[in-house]
Amino acid sequence: MPTRRQFLAGSAAALGGSALPAEASAATAVAAPRDTPRPNFVVVLADDLGYGELGAYGQRLIQTPNLDRLAAEGLRFTDAYAGAPVCAPSRCSLLTGLHSGHSAVRQNPEGGPQGSLGDKDTTFAELLRARSYRTAVIGKWGFGPEQSGQASHPNQRGFEQFFGYITHGHAHDYYPHYLWHNGERTELPENAGNQKGTFAPDLFRDRSVEFIKASKDEPFLLFFTPNVPHAPSDVPATAPYDDRPWPAADKGHAAQVTRLDAYVGDLVGALREAGVARDTVLIVTSDNGPHEEGGFNPDLFDANGPLRGYKRNLYEGGVRVPLIAWSPGRVGAGTTARPTQQTDLLPTLAELAGAPVPGDIDGVSAAALLTGRPGGAVPGHLYWYRREPGSTRRANAADGGSVTRVAEAVRQGDWKAVRIAPGHDRPAAEDQWKIELYDLKADVGETRDLAAQHPAVAAGLVRLMREAWVPDFHRRGLGLTLDAPELLLPGGTYEVTLTLTNGSATSWHRPQLSLGVPHGWRLRPSGPRTRSRLAIGEAFSTTWRLTIPERTTAKGWRLAATATASTGAGPLRFSQERGYTPPPPPPTADSYLSDLPWLSATNGWGPVEIDRSNGKQAAGDGTPISFGGQTHRKGLGVHARSEIVYHLGGRGVRLTGLVGIDDFSANQSDKGATVAQVWADDRKVFDSGTLTAAGGPEPVDVDVTGARLLRLVVLNAEGTGGSYDHTSWADAFLKVTG
């Protein structure tokens, strides 16, 4: 997705933390002046940083001077919580304001389908962009796939600038071979061959400093998400802990935390240098409790402080996290025990920015608390859900051996209930769940289970849990959606629909929709593009009829949708863009498909293999495709689910070839089973039925006369999938008209 500006290359800033002014004494939070302009925001999200790993929260062995000073000068939350005890669902809750009983992402990808963000999952970045904020996320995103233009990509979810890791697993590599800049993959050749030329979090710091400097003249949001101190304890240097008598993993982890502290110091230094420190709200927090992976011993550092549990636990040590809010002159110094889940971040930023807030979120704004105004709302209760197959020794012990079981928890006031299912999935009889109850005011370490003494309290909290978890939570949505075809072709006529939805709590005035297309393309709206008012919960749609000339000269195929409206807080402007790859010219001579360019290709396990595995790199099956020992010179290798689309432009006549589970997969296992299909436009002209290695390949011989598009599709057969579904189209040959 293109942006207003080309992203800035990071400068080689010094690693050491920028100096901060002397620590201020604690004081009661004071209200900011009423005429204070809309603030900038810098949100720092650490990865697996425990509640007790900062000096301000009791740490004694790891040095965090910059963060400790911010905690002394700003507002330190003692009862702040992540949205989940593991990364992906926690980050989803933080971005969308929905707890893990409602959110789109409820587990990490290792445990099965992760889920991902969709068009209705409004993030705080989308809300701030509607109020003309520049927005950037730099570091770990965590929601795949690695593909631009899809709904979960950060550019589609309100961030006009992105640099970092897209997927959850990729962020486990501190010296990656590549990173992503918006929708483009950026190679890091200095890290090729397991070299350690560039430490990715240093790049994230550099890019973030540059973004602050470049954005000083307009409101901005920076979401800085370095992957420290997640395992492994990999870091360029272990200073200042080189001489400590600790194992290497512990030295590395401590150095990661101190490096994080230095990054925050550099960001504060950049804010001061740009002259916007007093106009910026800086928030620092973590996505869950401390990890114990890669040899790291969290107990050496009391990484969870006085709390029970670690990453993966729903006890306090797994979900209670540091949270510091700092803004000189706006946020007064002090501490607060307000129970604050990261779902509160979205409505807080939106209120401070004068942006609309979705009416169906779970978070409650803490803006009044930050600015010292009276009457701020307090959450009625907090909810967490866990479905996580991963297990580590300490976390499992804290859970009584049940860390891989489904669990959920609720905090209401000082009462906290945790209940654990008998198995790894949610469905179970109510009497089979183990229920525990704790009084956090008297027992923050959750050492005394009071469920037997207070059955009515426990039962009331369990009722809240049952109400909180909804299998399919349907969002109302807020903002603009662009409904357009997946593919566009010369000479085609299509329908494009824009919808503006007011999912907020106030009416919008004078909504207007507009659509921009490349020069020479024809648009005709089928309905009104403006209205006088858009009520709460109401949607406004207009459909355009789009015609592309048979011979278009447009080089960039892009649809640009815009919606504007106004509220009492000011104007709103939403935008969505959809880019298309101009199709290659249709074939002019008979050809193997593996010799033709495709219009698009998706493949379950990576690039489509053309003649050789992954296009150029051998991976065991060599150049030819082989079935039952018989080789075929030309072919395409895929992993289900896959779809390869070719532009025939009506010139194709017949497609012949073979399709089946190839010898490469069969030599690994006999479990593979897939279904192959051929589609000519919207007509399915071939279906293989279930393919197995034992059954051999199926011949393909189909008429594709007149088809503009040819689609080769491979699906998993029911109940199968994985690494054994490698399927090949061999000798796939297209005859064309003369």
Side-chain angles (χ1 to χ4, degrees), residues 80-456:
Y81 293 93
V86 291
C87 169
S90 175
R91 290 165 186 258
C92 180
S93 290
L94 180 146
L95 283 163
T96 64
L98 296 177
H99 63 55
S100 49
H102 291 156
S103 59
V105 179
R106 306 190 189 188
Q107 67 182 61
N108 274 346
E110 291 92 342
Q114 172 184 309
S116 205
L117 302 177
D119 285 330
K120 288 190 175 181
D121 289 307
T122 306
T123 70
F124 56 73
E126 292 177 85
L127 301 178
L128 267 60
R129 278 201 72 188
R131 292 287 285 131
S132 300
Y133 274 71
R134 292 198 65 195
T135 58
V137 55
I138 300 176
K140 175 180 175 178
W141 177 243
F143 309 106
E146 287 191 324
Q147 178 184 339
S148 63
Q150 43 83 21
S152 72
H153 191 279
N155 290 155
Q156 301 299 119
R157 299 272 58 83
F159 292 99
E160 58 178 336
Q161 296 292 349
F162 164 62
F163 182 76
Y165 308 95
I166 292 180
T167 64
H168 173 93
H170 189 206
H172 296 171
D173 184 0
Y174 282 109
Y175 295 92
H177 298 174
Y178 65 92
L179 292 167
W180 287 86
H181 170 207
N182 294 330
E184 300 294 328
R185 176 168 156 158
T186 300
E187 301 297 327
L188 300 177
E190 63 273 27
N191 289 343
N194 296 320
Q195 297 298 306
K196 294 187 175 183
T198 296
F199 187 61
D202 286 355
L203 283 182
F204 303 151
R205 181 271 320 274
D206 295 345
R207 296 287 180 110
S208 296
V209 167
E210 290 299 321
F211 178 80
I212 289 171
K213 293 178 179 178
S215 307
K216 64 180 181 179
D217 295 328
E218 54 190 310
F220 66 83
L221 161 70
L222 169 63
F223 187 29
F224 177 60
T225 62
N227 43 333
V228 289
H230 193 288
S233 298
D234 206 350
V235 70
T238 57
Y241 309 106
D242 296 331
D243 60 350
R244 302 295 198 275
W246 305 336
D250 295 335
K251 289 183 182 181
H253 181 90
Q256 286 178 329
V257 175
T258 297
R259 207 173 189 89
L260 169 69
D261 180 79
Y263 294 157
V264 175
D266 290 333
L267 298 186
V268 172
L271 293 171
R272 293 194 183 282
E273 183 180 343
V276 296
R278 297 185 65 84
D279 300 323
T280 301
V281 174
L282 170 64
I283 295 172
V284 183
T285 188
S286 175
D287 62 353
N288 48 248
H291 74 80
E292 50 172 318
E293 294 146 335
F296 170 60
N297 176 11
D299 295 338
L300 172 65
F301 302 100
D302 287 330
N304 51 3
L307 310 176
R308 173 183 176 181
Y310 309 85
K311 175 183 178 179
R312 296 184 176 85
N313 296 128
L314 287 183
Y315 301 110
E316 294 290 285
V319 291
R320 193 183 289 206
V321 293
L323 177 62
I324 300 166
W326 176 86
S327 183
R330 187 185 300 264
V331 176
T335 60
T336 176
R338 176 190 189 268
T340 303
Q341 197 173 42
Q342 288 170 355
T343 51
D344 296 348
L345 182 65
L346 180 147
T348 300
L349 300 189
E351 182 177 343
L352 291 173
V357 180
D360 57 358
I361 63 170
D362 300 304
V364 176
S365 174
L369 176 66
L370 294 187
T371 57
R373 290 185 284 108
V378 177
H381 64 275
L382 309 179
Y383 172 83
W384 299 268
Y385 170 74
R386 178 191 74 195
R387 186 182 187 278
E388 164 64 21
S391 175
T392 51
R393 180 177 63 82
R394 292 177 180 84
N396 195 41
D399 240 57
S402 303
V403 75
T404 60
R405 297 182 185 178
V406 162
E408 56 187 351
V410 159
R411 174 174 176 176
Q412 186 178 47
D414 291 322
W415 288 110
K416 166 95 173 283
V418 178
R419 71 171 188 159
I420 301 174
H424 306 300
D425 292 300
R426 186 179 179 84
E430 290 293 326
D431 60 0
Q432 295 179 7
W433 292 69
K434 177 186 176 184
I435 302 171
E436 303 169 9
L437 179 68
Y438 301 98
D439 179 358
L440 296 179
K441 185 175 183 179
D443 178 27
V444 73
E446 295 169 294
T447 62
R448 298 183 296 277
D449 178 7
L450 303 178
Q453 291 95 311
H454 300 277

Side-chain angles (χ1 to χ4, degrees), residues 416-641:
K416 166 95 173 283
V418 178
R419 71 171 188 159
I420 301 174
H424 306 300
D425 292 300
R426 186 179 179 84
E430 290 293 326
D431 60 0
Q432 295 179 7
W433 292 69
K434 177 186 176 184
I435 302 171
E436 303 169 9
L437 179 68
Y438 301 98
D439 179 358
L440 296 179
K441 185 175 183 179
D443 178 27
V444 73
E446 295 169 294
T447 62
R448 298 183 296 277
D449 178 7
L450 303 178
Q453 291 95 311
H454 300 277
V457 174
L461 296 183
V462 168
R463 282 195 296 272
L464 292 177
M465 294 182 199
R466 288 199 297 264
E467 294 168 1
W469 195 85
V470 178
D472 296 301
F473 185 69
H474 297 288
R475 304 286 319 262
R476 285 184 293 187
L478 187 153
L480 177 65
T481 57
L482 168 62
D483 184 7
E486 293 184 8
L487 298 172
L488 299 179
L489 298 174
T493 298
Y494 307 91
E495 287 191 346
V496 179
T497 301
L498 305 188
T499 302
L500 179 63
T501 304
N502 180 7
S504 74
T506 59
S507 294
W508 297 352
H509 303 287
R510 297 181 299 280
Q512 180 172 335
L513 300 172
S514 61
L515 179 64
V517 299
H519 178 71
W521 294 16
R522 296 190 298 276
L523 274 180
R524 188 175 64 195
S526 62
R529 289 168 285 177
T530 62
R531 291 179 58 172
S532 61
R533 181 172 175 269
L534 197 60
I536 298 170
E538 194 175 8
F540 167 39
S541 295
T542 295
T543 298
W544 280 264
R545 191 172 179 84
L546 167 65
T547 301
I548 304 175
E550 192 70 52
R551 294 185 178 180
T552 175
T553 59
K555 302 206 183 301
W557 287 27
R558 189 165 300 279
L559 307 181
T562 303
T564 58
S566 64
T567 69
L572 301 176
R573 185 181 187 278
F574 300 93
S575 62
Q576 289 286 340
E577 295 190 359
R578 179 77 56 82
Y580 294 86
T581 301
T588 57
D590 299 349
S591 178
Y592 288 100
L593 289 186
S594 55
D595 293 332
L596 291 176
W598 54 58
L599 179 56
S600 67
T602 57
N603 188 22
W605 284 44
V608 176
E609 300 165 4
I610 313 173
D611 299 334
R612 293 183 179 180
S613 187
N614 297 329
K616 297 179 181 178
Q617 302 171 11
D621 52 342
T623 301
I625 298 297
S626 175
F627 296 119
Q630 181 178 355
T631 59
H632 301 266
R633 187 171 65 88
K634 292 287 188 176
L636 301 164
V638 296
H639 275 99
R641 182 185 190 282

Side-chain angles (χ1 to χ4, degrees), residues 647-713:
H647 177 218
L648 302 188
R651 295 190 51 84
V653 176
R654 197 153 208 87
L655 175 68
T656 59
L658 294 170
V659 64
I661 304 287
D662 49 58
D663 291 349
F664 167 70
S665 185
N667 289 337
Q668 298 180 71
S669 172
D670 60 0
K671 295 180 181 178
T674 59
V675 175
Q677 300 173 346
V678 177
W679 292 74
D681 292 331
D682 58 355
R683 296 179 295 116
K684 184 167 66 174
V685 294
F686 172 82
D687 191 303
S688 67
T690 300
L691 296 170
T692 64
E698 285 290 318
V700 179
D701 189 348
V702 293
D703 184 356
V704 295
T705 301
R708 297 178 67 83
L709 296 177
L710 174 69
R711 301 174 186 261
L712 306 184
V713 177

